[in-house]
Amino acid sequence: MLATPRPLDLVPHRRYNPLLRQWILVSPQRTDRPWQGETTKQAANPGLAYDPKCYLCPTNARSGGIHNPPYSRVFAFDNDFPALLPDAQPVIAPSESPLLVAEPERGRCRVLCFHPNHSLTLARMAVPDIARVVDAWADETSSLSDLPWINHIQIFENRGAMMGASNPHPHCQIWATEHIPDEPLRELAAQQAYHEEHKSCLLCDYIVTELEHPEARIVVENDLFIAIVPYWATWPFETLVLPRRHLGSFTDLTPAERTALAQILKSVTTRYDNLFQVSFPYTMGFHQRPAHGQAHDSMHFHAHFYPPLLRSAEIRKFMVGFEMLGMPQRDLTPETAAGRLRALPEKHYLD
């Protein structure tokens, strides 16, 4: 006798991530387990428009002694402590073992301050101000792509001390690298393979699939962008931000799409803050086509939000044990997470 199928929100199961071509274990029966582990007290938002001790506020001296200009909007500069250097690196002597491999890596590291106001996050900024940030991301992508030896431009924001942010001033980093890093390279390969097999775009097809059931995993949408808790999400309230139109880079965005992206970013981050009424920590980053080489027409521009909070502002998801040794695992189903985020108001809880 065949067993009666049970809803996925009731039973352990695994889901396939087609972007990384890996599986994720979902264990919804664990959501109510007792917690006696570590809790993290969230740092309060300082509420200061200007902090005289902040390295990133206008006119202040950075740690290296350089003074910031009295900027009034977006401000970008070369990172004072870059992880990569643009100068040609010396050739590394070949190893006698194929298991001990190293090679030089050049790059440029930039910092981009979103706003002169020290207390503002994306969730608290006005849409026109966020649109200026999007414009700056496009400008940085364009100028860094002009360097013939740069092949990937990674724009990312670590929001909050929990995510390793060393400064609370609203800012992001831009690392332009000589080689394509592993994560975007895996996504690029998966999208190319899908295109070769199906003659269509993986993420375009995924958008169509999600729009067939908007009540399932869509968090917020407008005419040009959509934010989804992906079917294969690993982090509890992870979201994927996608343009409805197939495009590959910041430089492809029309003025209307730049504004629409700004609106979506504000909507997503506001909902995050409203979820536990705290300045929500996350790592956010954009994946776009490589700077040089083939056209990479199968690459669909998108952003990932990876927030760690699980049950409250104090309890976060840990990627340890089975996650490190086996496969990613989550308790909350993506559908439950999307429903909770979707139900939150557009207005920020502090307004």
Side-chain angles (χ1 to χ4, degrees):
M1 182 177 178
L2 294 176
T4 302
R6 298 179 66 188
L8 289 182
D9 60 352
L10 298 178
V11 295
H13 61 280
R14 65 178 192 161
R15 301 189 184 194
Y16 184 67
N17 180 344
L19 271 180
L20 296 178
R21 295 191 281 194
Q22 70 178 25
W23 291 91
I24 292 90
L25 177 65
V26 184
S27 310
Q29 76 282 0
R30 283 164 50 89
T31 53
D32 295 326
R33 66 190 175 113
W35 183 263
Q36 293 182 315
E38 180 186 276
T39 58
T40 304
K41 186 176 181 179
Q42 284 284 342
N45 189 321
L48 298 172
Y50 169 75
D51 183 350
K53 297 180 180 179
C54 172
Y55 293 130
L56 300 182
C57 277
T59 72
N60 286 0
R62 302 202 298 273
S63 57
I66 300 173
H67 281 260
N68 299 321
Y71 65 94
S72 60
R73 292 186 177 178
V74 180
F75 169 52
F77 60 93
D78 287 331
N79 196 317
D80 296 322
F81 300 94
L84 296 157
L85 300 171
D87 300 329
Q89 302 297 310
V91 176
I92 297 175
S95 170
E96 296 180 358
S97 170
L99 302 178
L100 305 176
V101 180
E103 63 182 20
E105 180 70 12
R106 291 183 293 170
R108 290 276 306 276
C109 294
R110 304 270 290 163
V111 176
L112 193 149
C113 297
F114 295 160
H115 198 280
N117 190 319
H118 181 79
S119 68
L120 294 185
T121 62
L122 288 177
R124 303 287 286 143
M125 289 169 60
V127 169
D129 289 333
I130 301 175
R132 293 188 188 99
V133 175
V134 175
D135 289 340
W137 286 334
D139 291 342
E140 291 289 325
T141 296
S142 178
S143 61
L144 290 168
S145 295
D146 287 340
L147 297 172
W149 49 274
I150 290 296
N151 282 290
H152 178 77
I153 297 158
Q154 184 61 65
I155 297 170
F156 64 97
E157 179 195 9
N158 292 325
R159 180 67 209 157
M162 186 182 288
M163 300 308 292
S166 60
N167 190 306
H169 195 101
H171 73 285
C172 73
Q173 299 187 56
I174 305 168
W175 291 15
T177 56
E178 190 173 6
H179 295 89
I180 303 173
D182 287 349
E183 200 80 356
L185 189 62
R186 290 173 66 189
E187 289 192 356
L188 184 62
Q191 290 176 87
Q192 288 176 337
Y194 184 93
H195 187 270
E196 290 171 3
E197 180 178 356
H198 299 278
K199 310 305 178 188
S200 59
C201 166
L202 187 160
L203 289 175
C204 286
D205 289 355
Y206 180 58
I207 290 171
V208 172
T209 299
E210 289 290 1
L211 288 172
E212 291 174 353
H213 303 282
E215 74 288 349
R217 288 169 294 274
I218 294 176
V219 176
V220 63
E221 59 181 310
N222 58 31
D223 291 341
L224 301 175
F225 272 82
I226 184 169
I228 304 165
V229 176
Y231 183 79
W232 53 83
T234 297
W235 294 94
F237 293 96
E238 176 181 332
T239 51
L240 180 66
V241 176
L242 297 158
R244 293 176 184 263
R245 180 173 71 92
H246 183 78
L247 58 96
S249 169
F250 269 108
T251 57
D252 296 337
L253 294 171
T254 65
E257 285 169 331
R258 294 183 184 194
T259 300
L261 175 56
Q263 292 169 340
I264 286 288
L265 293 176
K266 182 172 179 62
S267 291
V268 170
T269 54
T270 296
R271 281 176 166 80
Y272 278 157
D273 283 10
N274 287 345
L275 180 62
F276 298 132
Q277 296 197 346
V278 68
S279 185
F280 209 76
Y282 58 75
T283 284
M284 179 271 289
F286 293 91
H287 283 160
Q288 52 187 333
R289 67 168 174 262
H292 299 290
Q294 302 174 10
H296 295 290
D297 292 335
S298 61
M299 176 67 193
H300 193 112
F301 172 83
H302 60 277
H304 296 281
F305 276 90
Y306 297 139
L309 295 183
L310 174 59
R311 301 189 189 187
S312 68
E314 291 79 32
I315 300 176
R316 61 189 173 109
K317 167 67 177 176
F318 289 89
M319 288 292 179
V320 297
F322 189 84
E323 289 90 347
M324 296 179 71
L325 298 167
M327 67 195 307
Q329 182 271 340
R330 63 178 291 126
D331 298 347
L332 198 67
T333 65
E335 294 75 25
T336 299
R340 290 179 63 180
L341 290 173
R342 186 169 53 246
L344 293 167
E346 286 276 344
K347 185 177 181 181
H348 197 278
Y349 76 96
L350 289 177
D351 292 335

PDB file of all heavy atoms in Angstrom, residues 3 6 22 26 66 70 81 106 116 118 160 173 193 214 225 233 239 249 261 269 284 311-312 315 318 337:
ATOM      1  N   ALA A   3       2.155   4.930   0.667  1.00  0.00           N
ATOM      2  CA  ALA A   3       1.980   5.892   1.753  1.00  0.00           C
ATOM      3  C   ALA A   3       1.378   7.182   1.209  1.00  0.00           C
ATOM      4  O   ALA A   3       1.629   7.573   0.066  1.00  0.00           O
ATOM      5  CB  ALA A   3       3.330   6.180   2.408  1.00  0.00           C
ATOM      6  N   ARG A   6       2.892  13.536   2.361  1.00  0.00           N
ATOM      7  CA  ARG A   6       2.713  14.529   3.419  1.00  0.00           C
ATOM      8  C   ARG A   6       3.303  15.858   2.946  1.00  0.00           C
ATOM      9  O   ARG A   6       4.270  15.892   2.184  1.00  0.00           O
ATOM     10  CB  ARG A   6       3.409  14.073   4.706  1.00  0.00           C
ATOM     11  CG  ARG A   6       2.852  12.785   5.274  1.00  0.00           C
ATOM     12  CD  ARG A   6       3.617  12.383   6.524  1.00  0.00           C
ATOM     13  NE  ARG A   6       3.406  13.340   7.606  1.00  0.00           N
ATOM     14  CZ  ARG A   6       4.082  13.311   8.751  1.00  0.00           C
ATOM     15  NH1 ARG A   6       5.029  12.395   8.937  1.00  0.00           N
ATOM     16  NH2 ARG A   6       3.851  14.209   9.694  1.00  0.00           N
ATOM     17  N   GLN A  22      23.916  21.642  -5.588  1.00  0.00           N
ATOM     18  CA  GLN A  22      24.099  20.925  -4.342  1.00  0.00           C
ATOM     19  C   GLN A  22      22.748  20.777  -3.648  1.00  0.00           C
ATOM     20  O   GLN A  22      21.780  21.457  -3.988  1.00  0.00           O
ATOM     21  CB  GLN A  22      25.075  21.660  -3.419  1.00  0.00           C
ATOM     22  CG  GLN A  22      24.533  22.961  -2.836  1.00  0.00           C
ATOM     23  CD  GLN A  22      25.510  23.640  -1.890  1.00  0.00           C
ATOM     24  OE1 GLN A  22      26.713  23.455  -1.985  1.00  0.00           O
ATOM     25  NE2 GLN A  22      24.978  24.446  -0.977  1.00  0.00           N
ATOM     26  N   VAL A  26      16.241  19.967   4.755  1.00  0.00           N
ATOM     27  CA  VAL A  26      15.221  20.763   5.434  1.00  0.00           C
ATOM     28  C   VAL A  26      14.587  19.902   6.526  1.00  0.00           C
ATOM     29  O   VAL A  26      14.109  18.802   6.250  1.00  0.00           O
ATOM     30  CB  VAL A  26      14.140  21.257   4.445  1.00  0.00           C
ATOM     31  CG1 VAL A  26      13.140  22.168   5.154  1.00  0.00           C
ATOM     32  CG2 VAL A  26      14.775  21.972   3.263  1.00  0.00           C
ATOM     33  N   ILE A  66      44.455  59.665   6.166  1.00  0.00           N
ATOM     34  CA  ILE A  66      43.784  60.388   5.086  1.00  0.00           C
ATOM     35  C   ILE A  66      42.436  60.901   5.573  1.00  0.00           C
ATOM     36  O   ILE A  66      41.678  60.170   6.223  1.00  0.00           O
ATOM     37  CB  ILE A  66      43.590  59.472   3.864  1.00  0.00           C
ATOM     38  CG1 ILE A  66      44.944  58.981   3.344  1.00  0.00           C
ATOM     39  CG2 ILE A  66      42.819  60.191   2.758  1.00  0.00           C
ATOM     40  CD1 ILE A  66      44.835  57.944   2.236  1.00  0.00           C
ATOM     41  N   PRO A  70      34.219  66.362   2.615  1.00  0.00           N
ATOM     42  CA  PRO A  70      32.892  66.638   3.203  1.00  0.00           C
ATOM     43  C   PRO A  70      31.785  66.161   2.262  1.00  0.00           C
ATOM     44  O   PRO A  70      30.960  66.945   1.791  1.00  0.00           O
ATOM     45  CB  PRO A  70      32.899  68.157   3.371  1.00  0.00           C
ATOM     46  CG  PRO A  70      33.805  68.644   2.292  1.00  0.00           C
ATOM     47  CD  PRO A  70      34.873  67.602   2.136  1.00  0.00           C
ATOM     48  N   PHE A  81      43.121  49.064   3.763  1.00  0.00           N
ATOM     49  CA  PHE A  81      43.691  47.771   4.143  1.00  0.00           C
ATOM     50  C   PHE A  81      43.189  46.697   3.162  1.00  0.00           C
ATOM     51  O   PHE A  81      42.413  45.816   3.532  1.00  0.00           O
ATOM     52  CB  PHE A  81      43.313  47.417   5.585  1.00  0.00           C
ATOM     53  CG  PHE A  81      43.789  48.422   6.586  1.00  0.00           C
ATOM     54  CD1 PHE A  81      42.963  49.456   7.013  1.00  0.00           C
ATOM     55  CD2 PHE A  81      45.078  48.355   7.096  1.00  0.00           C
ATOM     56  CE1 PHE A  81      43.410  50.388   7.937  1.00  0.00           C
ATOM     57  CE2 PHE A  81      45.535  49.284   8.020  1.00  0.00           C
ATOM     58  CZ  PHE A  81      44.711  50.308   8.435  1.00  0.00           C
ATOM     59  N   ARG A 106      46.041  39.246  -8.365  1.00  0.00           N
ATOM     60  CA  ARG A 106      45.971  40.698  -8.301  1.00  0.00           C
ATOM     61  C   ARG A 106      44.522  41.140  -8.114  1.00  0.00           C
ATOM     62  O   ARG A 106      43.591  40.385  -8.390  1.00  0.00           O
ATOM     63  CB  ARG A 106      46.517  41.319  -9.595  1.00  0.00           C
ATOM     64  CG  ARG A 106      48.006  41.157  -9.791  1.00  0.00           C
ATOM     65  CD  ARG A 106      48.454  41.883 -11.060  1.00  0.00           C
ATOM     66  NE  ARG A 106      47.915  41.246 -12.263  1.00  0.00           N
ATOM     67  CZ  ARG A 106      47.987  41.782 -13.483  1.00  0.00           C
ATOM     68  NH1 ARG A 106      48.525  42.980 -13.652  1.00  0.00           N
ATOM     69  NH2 ARG A 106      47.501  41.133 -14.519  1.00  0.00           N
ATOM     70  N   PRO A 116      26.283  60.127   3.922  1.00  0.00           N
ATOM     71  CA  PRO A 116      27.067  60.772   4.977  1.00  0.00           C
ATOM     72  C   PRO A 116      26.488  60.564   6.371  1.00  0.00           C
ATOM     73  O   PRO A 116      27.225  60.644   7.365  1.00  0.00           O
ATOM     74  CB  PRO A 116      27.045  62.251   4.580  1.00  0.00           C
ATOM     75  CG  PRO A 116      25.838  62.409   3.714  1.00  0.00           C
ATOM     76  CD  PRO A 116      25.712  61.111   2.973  1.00  0.00           C
ATOM     77  N   HIS A 118      25.670  58.836   9.500  1.00  0.00           N
ATOM     78  CA  HIS A 118      26.253  57.664  10.145  1.00  0.00           C
ATOM     79  C   HIS A 118      25.197  56.651  10.589  1.00  0.00           C
ATOM     80  O   HIS A 118      25.477  55.446  10.669  1.00  0.00           O
ATOM     81  CB  HIS A 118      27.073  58.131  11.359  1.00  0.00           C
ATOM     82  CG  HIS A 118      27.750  57.043  12.122  1.00  0.00           C
ATOM     83  ND1 HIS A 118      28.935  56.456  11.707  1.00  0.00           N
ATOM     84  CD2 HIS A 118      27.418  56.434  13.297  1.00  0.00           C
ATOM     85  CE1 HIS A 118      29.294  55.531  12.586  1.00  0.00           C
ATOM     86  NE2 HIS A 118      28.397  55.494  13.557  1.00  0.00           N
ATOM     87  N   GLY A 160      26.226  44.807  10.120  1.00  0.00           N
ATOM     88  CA  GLY A 160      26.148  44.474  11.529  1.00  0.00           C
ATOM     89  C   GLY A 160      27.384  43.774  12.050  1.00  0.00           C
ATOM     90  O   GLY A 160      28.090  43.067  11.320  1.00  0.00           O
ATOM     91  N   GLN A 173      31.690  46.984   0.301  1.00  0.00           N
ATOM     92  CA  GLN A 173      33.005  46.791  -0.289  1.00  0.00           C
ATOM     93  C   GLN A 173      32.878  46.297  -1.719  1.00  0.00           C
ATOM     94  O   GLN A 173      31.880  45.665  -2.088  1.00  0.00           O
ATOM     95  CB  GLN A 173      33.825  45.796   0.534  1.00  0.00           C
ATOM     96  CG  GLN A 173      34.079  46.245   1.964  1.00  0.00           C
ATOM     97  CD  GLN A 173      35.033  45.311   2.682  1.00  0.00           C
ATOM     98  OE1 GLN A 173      36.149  45.062   2.233  1.00  0.00           O
ATOM     99  NE2 GLN A 173      34.587  44.768   3.808  1.00  0.00           N
ATOM    100  N   ALA A 193      25.347  25.392 -18.149  1.00  0.00           N
ATOM    101  CA  ALA A 193      24.916  24.013 -18.380  1.00  0.00           C
ATOM    102  C   ALA A 193      23.403  23.936 -18.567  1.00  0.00           C
ATOM    103  O   ALA A 193      22.904  23.201 -19.432  1.00  0.00           O
ATOM    104  CB  ALA A 193      25.359  23.128 -17.214  1.00  0.00           C
ATOM    105  N   PRO A 214       2.526  32.895  -6.401  1.00  0.00           N
ATOM    106  CA  PRO A 214       3.089  34.058  -5.707  1.00  0.00           C
ATOM    107  C   PRO A 214       2.910  34.031  -4.202  1.00  0.00           C
ATOM    108  O   PRO A 214       3.620  34.726  -3.478  1.00  0.00           O
ATOM    109  CB  PRO A 214       2.337  35.234  -6.334  1.00  0.00           C
ATOM    110  CG  PRO A 214       1.074  34.649  -6.868  1.00  0.00           C
ATOM    111  CD  PRO A 214       1.425  33.260  -7.311  1.00  0.00           C
ATOM    112  N   PHE A 225      11.492  44.149 -10.715  1.00  0.00           N
ATOM    113  CA  PHE A 225      12.294  43.274  -9.859  1.00  0.00           C
ATOM    114  C   PHE A 225      11.394  42.431  -8.967  1.00  0.00           C
ATOM    115  O   PHE A 225      10.221  42.760  -8.738  1.00  0.00           O
ATOM    116  CB  PHE A 225      13.261  44.090  -8.982  1.00  0.00           C
ATOM    117  CG  PHE A 225      14.583  44.377  -9.644  1.00  0.00           C
ATOM    118  CD1 PHE A 225      14.694  45.446 -10.534  1.00  0.00           C
ATOM    119  CD2 PHE A 225      15.688  43.581  -9.412  1.00  0.00           C
ATOM    120  CE1 PHE A 225      15.904  45.708 -11.158  1.00  0.00           C
ATOM    121  CE2 PHE A 225      16.899  43.834 -10.028  1.00  0.00           C
ATOM    122  CZ  PHE A 225      17.011  44.912 -10.904  1.00  0.00           C
ATOM    123  N   ALA A 233      16.715  27.782  -0.340  1.00  0.00           N
ATOM    124  CA  ALA A 233      17.396  28.669   0.612  1.00  0.00           C
ATOM    125  C   ALA A 233      18.072  27.880   1.724  1.00  0.00           C
ATOM    126  O   ALA A 233      17.527  26.901   2.237  1.00  0.00           O
ATOM    127  CB  ALA A 233      16.405  29.662   1.206  1.00  0.00           C
ATOM    128  N   THR A 239      17.100  35.690   1.028  1.00  0.00           N
ATOM    129  CA  THR A 239      16.319  36.136  -0.128  1.00  0.00           C
ATOM    130  C   THR A 239      17.208  36.241  -1.363  1.00  0.00           C
ATOM    131  O   THR A 239      18.419  36.452  -1.261  1.00  0.00           O
ATOM    132  CB  THR A 239      15.630  37.495   0.106  1.00  0.00           C
ATOM    133  OG1 THR A 239      16.585  38.446   0.569  1.00  0.00           O
ATOM    134  CG2 THR A 239      14.491  37.380   1.098  1.00  0.00           C
ATOM    135  N   SER A 249      24.506  42.457 -15.931  1.00  0.00           N
ATOM    136  CA  SER A 249      25.418  43.296 -15.166  1.00  0.00           C
ATOM    137  C   SER A 249      24.739  44.581 -14.726  1.00  0.00           C
ATOM    138  O   SER A 249      23.714  44.996 -15.289  1.00  0.00           O
ATOM    139  CB  SER A 249      26.644  43.623 -16.025  1.00  0.00           C
ATOM    140  OG  SER A 249      27.451  44.621 -15.444  1.00  0.00           O
ATOM    141  N   LEU A 261      15.270  48.598  -8.516  1.00  0.00           N
ATOM    142  CA  LEU A 261      16.154  47.835  -7.638  1.00  0.00           C
ATOM    143  C   LEU A 261      16.286  48.531  -6.281  1.00  0.00           C
ATOM    144  O   LEU A 261      16.249  47.876  -5.232  1.00  0.00           O
ATOM    145  CB  LEU A 261      17.524  47.676  -8.290  1.00  0.00           C
ATOM    146  CG  LEU A 261      18.608  47.001  -7.438  1.00  0.00           C
ATOM    147  CD1 LEU A 261      18.165  45.626  -6.949  1.00  0.00           C
ATOM    148  CD2 LEU A 261      19.918  46.894  -8.232  1.00  0.00           C
ATOM    149  N   THR A 269      15.058  45.090   3.082  1.00  0.00           N
ATOM    150  CA  THR A 269      15.777  45.407   4.325  1.00  0.00           C
ATOM    151  C   THR A 269      14.845  45.967   5.396  1.00  0.00           C
ATOM    152  O   THR A 269      15.064  45.736   6.594  1.00  0.00           O
ATOM    153  CB  THR A 269      16.927  46.391   4.053  1.00  0.00           C
ATOM    154  OG1 THR A 269      16.423  47.556   3.369  1.00  0.00           O
ATOM    155  CG2 THR A 269      18.001  45.739   3.182  1.00  0.00           C
ATOM    156  N   MET A 284      25.091  40.695   2.081  1.00  0.00           N
ATOM    157  CA  MET A 284      24.396  40.856   0.811  1.00  0.00           C
ATOM    158  C   MET A 284      25.428  41.056  -0.286  1.00  0.00           C
ATOM    159  O   MET A 284      26.447  41.731  -0.080  1.00  0.00           O
ATOM    160  CB  MET A 284      23.451  42.062   0.871  1.00  0.00           C
ATOM    161  CG  MET A 284      22.690  42.338  -0.429  1.00  0.00           C
ATOM    162  SD  MET A 284      23.560  43.432  -1.599  1.00  0.00           S
ATOM    163  CE  MET A 284      23.454  45.011  -0.768  1.00  0.00           C
ATOM    164  N   ARG A 311      15.507  32.716  15.261  1.00  0.00           N
ATOM    165  CA  ARG A 311      14.271  32.774  16.040  1.00  0.00           C
ATOM    166  C   ARG A 311      13.988  34.146  16.615  1.00  0.00           C
ATOM    167  O   ARG A 311      12.850  34.464  16.934  1.00  0.00           O
ATOM    168  CB  ARG A 311      14.349  31.779  17.196  1.00  0.00           C
ATOM    169  CG  ARG A 311      14.567  30.346  16.798  1.00  0.00           C
ATOM    170  CD  ARG A 311      14.393  29.463  18.008  1.00  0.00           C
ATOM    171  NE  ARG A 311      14.792  28.094  17.758  1.00  0.00           N
ATOM    172  CZ  ARG A 311      14.599  27.107  18.617  1.00  0.00           C
ATOM    173  NH1 ARG A 311      14.023  27.369  19.774  1.00  0.00           N
ATOM    174  NH2 ARG A 311      14.986  25.891  18.318  1.00  0.00           N
ATOM    175  N   SER A 312      15.040  34.922  16.816  1.00  0.00           N
ATOM    176  CA  SER A 312      14.896  36.222  17.454  1.00  0.00           C
ATOM    177  C   SER A 312      16.139  37.033  17.142  1.00  0.00           C
ATOM    178  O   SER A 312      17.044  36.565  16.446  1.00  0.00           O
ATOM    179  CB  SER A 312      14.737  36.074  18.972  1.00  0.00           C
ATOM    180  OG  SER A 312      15.947  35.594  19.540  1.00  0.00           O
ATOM    181  N   ILE A 315      19.072  34.916  18.755  1.00  0.00           N
ATOM    182  CA  ILE A 315      19.381  33.529  18.371  1.00  0.00           C
ATOM    183  C   ILE A 315      19.607  33.458  16.879  1.00  0.00           C
ATOM    184  O   ILE A 315      18.732  33.794  16.085  1.00  0.00           O
ATOM    185  CB  ILE A 315      18.253  32.569  18.787  1.00  0.00           C
ATOM    186  CG1 ILE A 315      18.069  32.606  20.306  1.00  0.00           C
ATOM    187  CG2 ILE A 315      18.552  31.152  18.318  1.00  0.00           C
ATOM    188  CD1 ILE A 315      16.920  31.755  20.807  1.00  0.00           C
ATOM    189  N   PHE A 318      23.614  28.634  13.172  1.00  0.00           N
ATOM    190  CA  PHE A 318      25.031  28.273  13.124  1.00  0.00           C
ATOM    191  C   PHE A 318      25.244  27.250  12.013  1.00  0.00           C
ATOM    192  O   PHE A 318      24.504  26.266  11.923  1.00  0.00           O
ATOM    193  CB  PHE A 318      25.490  27.686  14.460  1.00  0.00           C
ATOM    194  CG  PHE A 318      25.568  28.698  15.573  1.00  0.00           C
ATOM    195  CD1 PHE A 318      24.475  28.952  16.372  1.00  0.00           C
ATOM    196  CD2 PHE A 318      26.746  29.392  15.801  1.00  0.00           C
ATOM    197  CE1 PHE A 318      24.540  29.885  17.404  1.00  0.00           C
ATOM    198  CE2 PHE A 318      26.828  30.329  16.825  1.00  0.00           C
ATOM    199  CZ  PHE A 318      25.721  30.582  17.627  1.00  0.00           C
ATOM    200  N   ALA A 337       9.259  31.084   5.937  1.00  0.00           N
ATOM    201  CA  ALA A 337      10.066  32.302   6.027  1.00  0.00           C
ATOM    202  C   ALA A 337       9.511  33.391   5.119  1.00  0.00           C
ATOM    203  O   ALA A 337       9.394  34.558   5.516  1.00  0.00           O
ATOM    204  CB  ALA A 337      11.514  31.993   5.672  1.00  0.00           C
TER     205      ALA A 337
END
